[in-house]
Amino acid sequence: MRIVLIAAACAASLVAASPTGAADGQLVGSVGPGFGISLKDAGGVTVTHLAAGTYTLLVHDLSEEHNFHLSGPGVDVTTDVGFTGDRTFTITVTDGIYNFICDVHSTTMHGRFTGGTTALPSTTTTPAPAAKPVTLRVGPGRTLAAPARLATGRYAITVRDTSVADNLHLKGLGVDRKTGVAFKGQARWSVTLKAGSYRVFSDAHRTLTRTIHVS
């Protein structure tokens, strides 16, 4: 009997000493109701670095004017502008830099963290070339406007959504951004366009579409 008790105690101590795996991680993102955006761990601490692994991300989207968009190596999850409520995502973090932004106010509502063995780059690095401005438009009525051709590079895209029946969805190599169908207003996206074709369309009426050829 003594041997059995000792063995059970040893097994319990081994379980207690086992570290919590990354797969058990809980993250909480929040955006709104003002112009705040944040990402914290389960203990309420602001996330600046995460070990590589799988995490559950709970997003509290508290404003129809904003959204929460997290992107990085292997991750691209977002709530929609116009949506309010909670969304839950499962993400897998690897080596790299991850950014979370409000797509509508990306210059003022943003944050980032590193994953795995990656460290943030030095602040003395040479700044990237300025993004080129481009405007995309959906509405009024059943109309959609987009340039037919663009050069490769970084773009600051202004979306003018004047329709409550259609949204504007830009999709192509490395890019998948959209406004909500019920959303009506202006959004700003920072994207990098690579050589190829990008579709601009409405999710509500797929025949409403344009193609941007990038070269």
Side-chain angles (χ1 to χ4, degrees):
M1 184 66 176
R2 179 181 176 126
I3 294 174
V4 172
L5 290 174
I6 292 173
C10 290
S13 66
L14 286 173
V15 170
S18 298
T20 301
D24 301 320
Q26 173 78 43
L27 306 174
V28 179
S30 181
V31 61
F35 284 81
I37 188 168
S38 65
L39 181 65
K40 299 181 179 181
D41 63 19
V45 178
T46 298
V47 173
T48 58
H49 180 83
L50 290 175
T54 301
Y55 295 81
T56 298
L57 169 62
L58 171 63
V59 176
H60 302 305
D61 190 329
L62 307 176
S63 173
E64 294 182 350
E65 299 178 2
H66 308 304
N67 71 329
F68 188 98
H69 187 181
L70 171 64
S71 61
V75 175
D76 192 357
V77 295
T78 182
T79 62
D80 290 330
V81 177
F83 166 82
T84 59
D86 291 349
R87 290 285 305 276
T88 300
F89 306 95
T90 299
I91 63 171
T92 299
V93 174
T94 59
D95 294 346
I97 297 175
Y98 293 79
N99 295 279
F100 55 94
I101 63 172
C102 165
D103 287 315
V104 183
H105 307 96
S106 59
T107 58
T108 56
M109 298 175 65
H110 55 82
R112 64 177 179 173
F113 63 90
T114 55
T117 60
T118 301
L120 286 174
S122 169
T123 56
T124 59
T125 55
T126 303
K132 307 167 191 174
V134 168
T135 299
L136 307 177
R137 179 177 55 79
V138 59
R142 196 68 57 79
T143 61
L144 188 68
R149 294 189 176 276
L150 290 172
T152 58
R154 292 177 58 245
Y155 285 87
I157 295 179
T158 299
V159 178
R160 303 189 189 280
D161 187 335
T162 62
S163 171
V164 294
D166 290 291
N167 70 329
L168 192 142
H169 194 161
L170 172 63
K171 190 170 185 178
L173 186 61
V175 177
D176 191 355
R177 298 287 185 89
K178 60 183 177 180
T179 59
V181 172
F183 169 76
K184 188 176 180 181
Q186 185 169 286
R188 290 185 177 87
W189 301 335
S190 178
V191 302
T192 298
L193 301 183
K194 302 178 181 180
S197 296
Y198 290 78
R199 289 184 61 223
V200 181
F201 58 95
S202 166
D203 289 303
H205 302 95
R206 291 301 183 102
T207 56
L208 188 61
T209 181
R210 297 288 184 275
T211 300
I212 301 175
H213 299 282
V214 179
S215 59

